[in-house]
Structures are given as structure tokens and as C-alpha cells.
């Protein structure tokens, strides 16, 4: 019984559609109200809504995988400030 529960839990986690990601703000464009975020492995993402974000800020995001295995169609759902790099 315990083995079945563990297997079900692993299957549920493996098929999750939302995952966490950490970013650093590498560019802020106030005029177009967008910023460029970079993951620690070098992938870049664009986020609309600059607010008071600054280059060097660290953010945590929740990302929707859009039902595919590839990140190029993934969408950041939420973004939260976590600090900054000096």
C-alpha cells in the first residue's frame, strides 16, 4: 500500500504544470515597461510591468510549462522580489 502511494505521489509531481524559477534582472526598459530576466543557466525571459525593479534585483517566479517539455513556450505567472546582487 505504501509503495502505491509513493508511486502516485511521484507521478503527480512529475506531471506538474507549474514550477519555480529564480531570476536576476539584467535590463530594465522604463519607456516600454518591460524588463529582461535571466536564469542562473543563462536563459532570458521578458516580463511586462517594470514598477520599481532595478538591474541586479533577484526574483522568484512561478512558471507555467504550458503542457510541453520545452521552456520556449513557458509563461511566468507570478514574480516576487527576493533581494539584489551587488
Amino acid at each position: 500500500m505504501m509503495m502505491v502511494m509513493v508511486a502516485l505521489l511521484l507521478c503527480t509531481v512529475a506531471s506538474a504544470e507549474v514550477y519555480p524559477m529564480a531570476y536576476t534582472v539584467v535590463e530594465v526598459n522604463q519607456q516600454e515597461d518591460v524588463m529582461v530576466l535571466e536564469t542562473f543557466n543563462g536563459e532570458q525571459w521578458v516580463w511586462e510591468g517594470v514598477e520599481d525593479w532595478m538591474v541586479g534585483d533577484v526574483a522568484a517566479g512561478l512558471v507555467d510549462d504550458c503542457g510541453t517539455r520545452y521552456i520556449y513556450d513557458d509563461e511566468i505567472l507570478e514574480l516576487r522580489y527576493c533581494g539584489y546582487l551587488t
Side-chain angles (χ1 to χ4, degrees), residues 18-79:
V18 175
Y19 62 93
M21 184 61 67
Y23 305 94
T24 303
V25 177
V26 294
E27 183 180 328
V28 175
N29 185 328
Q30 293 282 349
Q31 294 169 333
E32 300 207 15
D33 198 29
V34 296
M35 63 183 174
V36 178
L37 307 166
E38 188 169 285
T39 64
F40 291 98
N41 65 355
E43 298 290 337
Q44 291 191 338
W45 301 67
V46 175
W47 177 261
E48 293 181 16
V50 172
E51 299 174 15
D52 61 348
W53 290 94
M54 295 173 47
V55 171
D57 285 349
V58 177
L62 284 179
V63 183
D64 183 350
D65 70 5
C66 294
T68 67
R69 351 177 328 184
Y70 305 102
I71 66 166
Y72 302 106
D73 65 345
D74 293 3
E75 180 179 335
I76 302 172
L77 301 174
E78 278 188 62
L79 198 62

